[in-house]
Amino acid sequence: MGGITFLMFLVTAVTGVLLMFYYRPTAEYAFHDVQYLEFDIPFGMLLRNMHRWAAHGMVISVMLHMFRVFLTGSYKKPREFNWGVGVILLLVTFFLSFTGYLLPWDQLAFWAVTVGTNMARATPVLGHEGPFAPQNITQSNDVRFALLAGTIVGPSTLLRFYILHCVAVPLLASVLMALHFWRVRKDGGISGPL
Ligand code: HEM
């Protein structure tokens, strides 16, 4: 399942780079670029759907992979460190999926990210409505503001999510995966049935 997760990541990386040739991350163009890609560019619909389905596949297979590792007790010594790396990879995978969801810039994207980022208001310490929030935290300087680049979903959010989705998060995921695979070998390879 880990291998399938990695394969899905590779498919999204290759198709994602190809999608970048047709997509501009501005409020003016984003939606139309996606429509143009889907209905006018040869094989555009195939390209977009390969990216979308591989992304869904990655989210499903990473959860199944974690479940398999749990069932075989492979989080125990000597693999505790790699389990920890895995937990970060799980969150990184979800964040890749979440940031990509805004990019089509349609109603679904806009409201899904509005609802999703509203939850960040309640983050302990870092969200302005969360528990243990310091006195000086407001809706203009909390973690939700950092995510949105503003107080509502807008053009700056689109640009921020685009850079996170296409550059920062894939780079972070690649470094963590290299560490993950190195640790699999160091810890004695894949564990077999008990
Ligand atoms: C992007 C996400 C991930 C990728 C690409 C990935 C990939 C892999 C691969 C290729 C292996 C080799 C064995 C196998 O296929 O099962 C592996 C092993 C392992 N993974 Fe992941 N993984 C990811 C996320 C996770 C998560 C979420 C966890 C748990 C929280 C995790 C924990 C582990 C552990 C403990 C091993 C060693 C298991 C053993 O030796 O049997 N990984 N991973």
Side-chain angles (χ1 to χ4, degrees):
M1 285 321 301
I4 292 172
T5 311
F6 184 51
L7 176 67
M8 294 293 124
F9 176 73
L10 291 181
V11 173
T12 51
V14 172
T15 53
V17 169
L18 295 175
L19 287 175
M20 288 171 80
F21 283 100
Y22 301 102
Y23 178 84
R24 287 164 290 180
T26 63
E28 198 181 356
Y29 293 123
F31 179 77
H32 294 288
D33 284 355
V34 175
Q35 297 298 304
Y36 187 64
L37 172 91
E38 185 129 351
F39 299 111
D40 287 302
I41 305 279
F43 302 107
M45 194 184 281
L46 178 70
L47 185 61
R48 183 174 177 212
N49 277 302
M50 280 178 73
H51 191 75
R52 221 183 154 91
W53 285 102
H56 291 324
M58 187 176 169
V59 170
I60 293 166
S61 59
V62 75
M63 293 192 290
L64 290 177
H65 171 55
M66 188 176 185
F67 190 49
R68 187 293 282 173
V69 171
F70 175 72
L71 287 184
T72 55
S74 310
Y75 50 84
K76 294 178 196 163
K77 242 181 187 357
R79 300 188 172 85
E80 322 94 301
F81 177 76
N82 220 13
W83 173 267
V85 177
V87 171
I88 304 173
L89 274 171
L90 180 80
L91 299 177
V92 165
T93 305
F94 290 162
F95 196 55
L96 265 176
S97 183
F98 184 64
T99 49
Y101 210 79
L102 183 65
L103 304 186
W105 203 239
D106 52 11
Q107 285 292 312
L108 188 63
F110 183 88
W111 292 108
V113 171
T114 298
V115 172
T117 50
N118 266 337
M119 291 184 218
R121 290 169 186 270
T123 312
V125 186
L126 301 175
H128 75 282
E129 287 173 6
F132 314 114
Q135 289 274 300
N136 56 350
I137 280 213
T138 67
Q139 66 165 355
S140 304
N141 62 9
D142 70 344
V143 68
R144 177 171 167 275
F145 185 89
L147 262 178
L148 290 178
T151 51
I152 52 162
V153 176
S156 317
T157 319
L158 182 60
L159 183 61
R160 184 158 295 197
F161 272 43
Y162 176 75
I163 295 165
L164 286 170
H165 185 75
C166 302
V167 186
V169 190
L171 272 179
L172 177 66
S174 306
V175 172
L176 287 170
M177 281 182 208
L179 178 65
H180 197 62
F181 301 156
W182 172 70
R183 281 314 309 178
V184 170
R185 291 189 64 112
K186 271 284 196 186
D187 296 338
I190 304 171
S191 60
L194 298 173

